[in-house]
Amino acid sequence: MSITIRLAENNDIPHIAELIPLSARKLQATYYSSAQIEGALGTVFAVDSQLIIDGTYFVAEASGQIVGCGGWSQRHTLFGGDSAKADSQDLLLDPTQDPARIRAFFVHPDWSRRGIGTRIMQACEDAAIQAGFKAIELVATLAGEALYTAFAYSAIARFEIPLPNDMQMPVVRMTKSLTASI
């Protein structure tokens, strides 16, 4: 079955919001407890509508169904959805000095291991390069670390994100120079 990658639109938000918990509950379960996953839903694992407004968020479709999503950002926020933003003004980054951000990758569990994350990552990196960024960074879940490592991202810090249910979520901050090709 053919999978197409396209920029997300506002009318995709409800479908993305349905995909995120499906993806997180199934594909993160080996790395996090159900309490950690539930604590992350709606804050860490959530839609950031600014990415869609900026035209930097992609969806993967198969037969008209959204089966994956992910994006990049030219803004300061590293992770999380609309409700988790500390300030209402998510300032733009300077591509000559700041790294772009990779953000919010989710794949439907029935569609995992079919290259969706890889294709979205390629689209994100290409777009960030076209926007003039020389480096890119992200905060990876433990489940996502292998994908980003395969794309030559290097771990620079490990830390825990505090969750609203008093749990902690271990994550990895990773970076990559965009001057090196994959």
Side-chain angles (χ1 to χ4, degrees):
M1 185 172 296
S2 175
I3 298 169
T4 58
I5 308 295
R6 65 168 175 81
L7 284 174
E9 301 170 355
N10 282 334
N11 61 348
D12 294 323
I13 291 174
H15 305 289
I16 295 167
E18 288 178 19
L19 171 64
I20 290 171
L22 287 173
S23 177
R25 288 180 177 130
K26 180 76 174 189
L27 301 179
Q28 301 285 341
T30 303
Y31 301 89
Y32 300 110
S33 70
S34 58
Q36 287 171 308
I37 294 167
E38 294 306 313
L41 288 171
T43 55
V44 178
F45 300 149
V47 176
D48 181 344
S49 58
Q50 186 65 57
L51 299 172
I52 296 169
I53 292 166
D54 288 346
T56 61
Y57 202 67
F58 297 92
V59 293
E61 281 186 322
S63 299
Q65 177 189 4
I66 294 177
V67 296
C69 55
W72 72 282
S73 179
Q74 55 194 345
R75 296 186 179 270
H76 281 272
T77 299
L78 268 170
F79 61 87
D82 292 339
S83 66
K85 289 189 181 176
D87 61 13
S88 60
Q89 190 175 23
D90 194 8
L91 299 175
L92 289 170
L93 298 165
D94 178 351
T96 65
Q97 297 181 2
D98 301 317
R101 315 293 200 223
I102 290 293
R103 300 280 315 280
F105 273 54
F106 299 96
V107 175
H108 192 289
D110 294 341
W111 289 85
S112 66
R113 305 278 184 234
R114 296 188 193 193
I116 292 170
T118 297
R119 290 187 54 203
I120 294 173
M121 179 62 80
Q122 289 168 337
C124 290
E125 287 187 355
D126 290 346
I129 289 167
Q130 285 183 322
F133 285 91
K134 308 287 186 253
I136 197 160
E137 70 178 344
L138 57 90
V139 173
T141 63
L142 301 180
E145 186 176 3
L147 170 68
Y148 304 122
T149 298
F151 268 82
Y153 285 78
S154 299
I156 58 172
R158 293 182 182 275
F159 64 99
E160 293 185 338
I161 298 170
L163 302 173
N165 62 354
D166 295 326
M167 299 293 296
Q168 301 283 321
M169 173 171 271
V171 293
V172 184
R173 191 168 187 159
M174 304 179 82
T175 190
K176 174 182 178 177
S177 169
L178 288 176
T179 56
S181 64
I182 301 169

